[in-house]
Amino acid sequence: MATHARPVERAGALRRAASAARELAAALSDQAPAVAGEALQAESTSQSYFRVREKELSDQQAALHGVLVIHRALQDLCETPLSGGDLALELAGMRQAVVDLTGATPGSSRDLDPTANVPEPGTRASSEDVWSARWLIGHQVHVLFNVCAAVAVADAAARLRQSDNDAALLRLADATTYVRGFPAAMTHASTVPADYYMAAIRQTMAPPSVDVPLSGRQHRGYKLFRASMNDLLSVVPDSYEHLVARAPELAEARGALLEADIIDGERHVTLAYSMVHLHRSLAQKPEGPDNAVAELRLMRHRRAAQYAPLIRFGDHYIADAVAGLRHK
């Protein structure tokens, strides 16, 4: 994928990728149709808003719905002014999701004729319609990455319990690919003008548009990921120095995953600032002293403090500060 090519070349490559995803979705649909998600009850206001549902699926159905999310995202990315770096990270997550969901072997796919089956851009929708749709599409990719990362981390922890370090290393690498894709997917969702977000999108995530203000705490896929991370660290709680002495490859793989998790928190801070500046979070209590950016920064600091002894270049200044606050 020409992630850093000129706009015309990049858009053409993305259209070819979207065409391939469409073909894969059609092939999976021939085996069994997609589940009518809108007919399923939402488990939270967040699920209803972002059009996400939970249901036990067969392997084929899970693959189909994952590919449908990827297909819609690739179509939108054809016209999204996302940086080449974020595009590369999001596409890497999509590719890993296809591998995990379909059971395909990486590198085994057929070569595509770069001129075949490439749909021409259709009738252009209004910018406002595109931006509102992008907000949902990017979040759905984020949910897909959350769930796939949670499964990969859980698999890695299970392999470590079985002393199968080689398999655990592979799954940790897969999980890291997804976590690096978290902020890329969120940036994709947020590639809309900040003034449009504040005027048209943000109000749809708070009463009276919805029953309760939407919050990241309502994202069940992300909570599943956080639970799997806690489980992993219960299996390998060793400090970086101790772990690298007995299992250097595991220490580096765990460190790469934890670093990606910290970076996700840091980029969430800067992304929120670019969108809402110093406005309060929709879900903050009236008596709270902080704004959305400050709350996200605290979340980053707590995560960095937790991981400081577990990674090679831990943020020990923050770890000491957090420990001092807890002592007081």
Side-chain angles (χ1 to χ4, degrees):
M1 174 60 65
T3 56
H4 290 72
R6 290 176 296 181
V8 172
E9 295 169 344
R10 190 171 93 160
L14 284 164
R15 284 198 297 273
R16 291 191 290 274
S19 178
R22 183 185 60 187
E23 291 180 13
L24 179 56
L28 290 167
S29 297
D30 288 341
Q31 301 175 33
V35 176
E38 293 296 327
L40 302 176
Q41 182 177 359
E43 300 291 333
S44 68
T45 303
S46 176
Q47 283 191 357
S48 178
Y49 180 86
F50 289 109
R51 300 177 188 175
V52 174
R53 299 292 188 272
E54 292 184 30
K55 180 179 173 60
E56 193 75 22
L57 298 174
S58 68
D59 290 346
Q60 177 273 333
Q61 288 174 321
L64 172 57
H65 283 277
V67 172
L68 288 172
V69 169
I70 290 170
H71 176 237
R72 287 191 294 270
L74 288 169
Q75 287 183 306
D76 184 62
L77 284 168
C78 291
E79 298 184 358
T80 303
L82 195 64
S83 73
D86 275 332
L87 179 60
L89 293 174
E90 187 172 359
L91 291 175
M94 290 178 179
R95 180 176 183 274
Q96 187 61 51
V98 171
V99 169
D100 285 349
L101 290 169
T102 65
T105 302
S108 65
S109 60
R110 62 182 175 85
D111 292 333
L112 291 176
D113 181 346
T115 62
N117 300 315
V118 180
E120 290 299 322
T123 303
R124 293 182 64 88
S126 70
S127 294
E128 290 79 6
D129 289 341
V130 169
W131 295 332
S132 294
R134 180 171 297 153
W135 180 248
L136 298 179
I137 289 169
H139 275 87
Q140 289 176 354
V141 174
H142 191 259
V143 170
L144 176 65
F145 287 177
N146 285 174
V147 174
C148 288
V151 172
V153 173
D155 286 349
R159 296 294 187 180
L160 289 171
R161 288 190 172 97
Q162 299 164 3
S163 299
D164 189 352
N165 279 22
D166 289 341
L169 291 174
L170 292 175
R171 292 306 275 155
L172 286 174
D174 295 342
T176 302
T177 296
Y178 290 125
V179 177
R180 287 173 177 163
F182 287 1
M186 288 302 298
T187 303
H188 175 184
S190 303
T191 307
V192 302
D195 56 354
Y196 177 79
Y197 169 78
M198 291 296 292
I201 296 179
R202 198 168 193 253
Q203 63 187 5
T204 67
M205 297 187 292
S209 298
V210 292
D211 295 336
V212 296
L214 299 190
S215 164
R217 299 182 184 93
Q218 298 172 11
H219 295 324
R220 289 164 62 91
Y222 190 65
K223 289 194 288 188
L224 181 66
F225 167 70
R226 295 254 60 95
S228 69
M229 290 290 284
N230 291 335
D231 182 51
L232 173 69
L233 296 184
S234 73
V235 179
V236 277
D238 318 54
S239 68
Y240 175 80
E241 288 75 13
H242 289 164
L243 188 58
V244 77
R246 69 174 178 84
E249 290 183 329
L250 178 58
E252 294 303 325
R254 185 191 67 175
L257 175 60
L258 299 183
E259 288 279 12
D261 198 21
I262 294 174
I263 293 298
D264 178 44
E266 292 174 347
R267 291 201 59 193
H268 205 163
V269 173
T270 57
L271 181 60
Y273 181 74
S274 71
M275 300 297 286
V276 303
H277 304 300
L278 298 181
H279 289 275
R280 298 172 62 80
S281 164
L282 292 174
Q284 279 182 267
K285 296 179 179 179
E287 63 273 16
D290 299 320
N291 57 32
V293 169
E295 283 206 347
L296 290 168
R297 189 177 288 122
L298 286 175
M299 291 169 61
R300 178 271 171 200
H301 289 340
R302 294 188 189 103
R303 192 175 302 168
Q306 178 190 4
Y307 294 167
L310 307 179
I311 58 180
R312 185 177 182 186
F313 301 109
D315 191 343
H316 295 286
Y317 292 103
I318 287 294
D320 291 344
V322 171
L325 290 173
R326 287 174 178 166
H327 181 69
K328 290 180 181 180

